[in-house]
Amino acid sequence: AQSVTQLDSQVPVFEEAPVELRCNYSSSVSVYLFWYVQYPNQGLQLLLKYLSGSTLVESINGFEAEFNKSQTSFHLRKPSVHISDTAEYFCAVSEGGSNYKLTFGKGTLLTVNP
Amino acid sequence: EPEVTQTPSHQVTQMGQEVILRCVPISNHLYFYWYRQILGQKVEFLVSFYNNEISEKSEIFDDQFSVERPDGSNFTLKIRSTKLEDSAMYFCASSEGGPLHFGNGTRLTVT
């Protein structure tokens, strides 16, 4: 069975500061990894994904995550955050195949303060 | 960009009543899912649906739950006799065989 651990339930930072949201997973098979973002009163939006290939993946709004197989981690980073990045961030894992059933972490609430 | 749409956004019902949560997946998608998130807890998998049948379901998805694709566009989740602990945000998702696309959710409150 898979599991995902997001160690930080809340991360407050100041605008333009760097941020790292941590995610560790456990699985007995190869996995696909995802970060989803949930802005207030909205649904879950795919932020970025690792399926194969380069272990460093990037989103269009400056976030990146690196798949580290030896540490079973997929931490999310951004070098300089904006107030508009305030949201809940969910790490998720899938065993792949055609059924992308996801197992989610508990989420990390990122609050960016001015 | 195509979206998964869910209605209603908020549903209040009394314990023991039946509710139907509705979803319109993205039109060319073939895989459909329901997840739920109890306040303060993880987003949990309920069920996946493909080729007009359930492909996988979790322990949560007991006999009180059912899913249906009544026509070519809707995908519904029915809870037959709601309990207080069914109060949660319910998310529908669809996929064409890749990453999931989620709707905005229906907040179900059972009183």
Side-chain angles (χ1 to χ4, degrees):
Chain A
Q2 307 157 94
S3 68
V4 177
T5 302
Q6 291 182 248
L7 288 170
D8 306 304
S9 59
Q10 296 187 53
V11 173
V13 295
F14 287 109
E15 196 173 15
E16 297 183 6
V19 70
E20 179 179 81
L21 307 183
R22 295 179 292 169
C23 172
N24 289 89
Y25 70 93
S26 68
S27 176
S28 57
V29 298
S30 296
V31 296
Y32 297 157
L33 293 156
F34 306 86
W35 277 97
Y36 280 83
V37 59
Q38 185 178 29
Y39 297 104
N41 300 313
Q42 295 189 27
L44 297 162
Q45 299 176 28
L46 180 65
L47 184 62
L48 44 74
K49 62 184 183 288
Y50 170 78
L51 304 180
S52 64
S54 172
T55 56
L56 184 66
V57 290
E58 298 176 352
S59 73
I60 57 173
N61 56 353
F63 283 94
E64 64 178 31
E66 186 158 21
F67 170 54
N68 188 319
K69 190 175 181 179
S70 63
Q71 295 186 4
T72 59
S73 67
F74 191 56
H75 301 328
L76 181 70
R77 293 187 288 263
K78 188 169 184 180
S80 175
V81 292
H82 304 291
I83 290 182
S84 59
D85 292 324
T86 295
E88 185 114 31
Y89 291 80
F90 294 92
C91 183
V93 63
S94 160
E95 289 185 0
S98 56
N99 184 352
Y100 275 59
K101 188 192 87 172
L102 295 172
T103 300
F104 282 89
K106 278 194 170 184
T108 298
L109 177 62
L110 174 65
T111 304
V112 182
N113 298 301
Chain B
E1 187 176 327
E3 290 182 342
V4 176
T5 55
Q6 290 186 243
T7 55
S9 58
H10 192 183
Q11 173 94 44
V12 181
T13 189
Q14 287 189 325
M15 197 167 53
Q17 295 296 303
E18 174 184 286
V19 293
I20 297 176
L21 309 183
R22 302 180 191 281
C23 170
V24 179
I26 295 173
S27 62
N28 62 334
H29 285 187
L30 303 175
Y31 300 86
F32 312 112
Y33 307 80
W34 282 100
Y35 285 77
R36 79 171 184 190
Q37 184 182 27
I38 294 172
L39 189 64
Q41 297 187 26
K42 288 186 182 187
V43 177
E44 302 171 291
F45 169 76
L46 292 179
V47 65
S48 58
F49 191 87
Y50 171 72
N51 201 25
N52 285 321
E53 61 183 22
I54 290 173
S55 49
E56 189 173 351
K57 60 183 180 179
S58 72
E59 292 176 355
I60 304 167
F61 195 88
D62 61 22
D63 292 343
Q64 292 298 312
F65 291 88
S66 62
V67 289
E68 200 175 37
R69 190 157 162 79
D71 52 42
S73 60
N74 290 284
F75 180 53
T76 62
L77 174 69
K78 183 193 291 185
I79 308 175
R80 245 178 288 282
S81 177
T82 50
K83 303 187 281 285
L84 294 175
E85 53 265 37
D86 292 327
S87 294
M89 181 74 92
Y90 288 80
F91 291 105
C92 173
S94 70
S95 159
E96 56 185 340
L100 275 58
H101 296 255
F102 285 85
N104 282 348
T106 294
R107 182 170 297 285
L108 176 66
T109 303
V110 182
T111 62

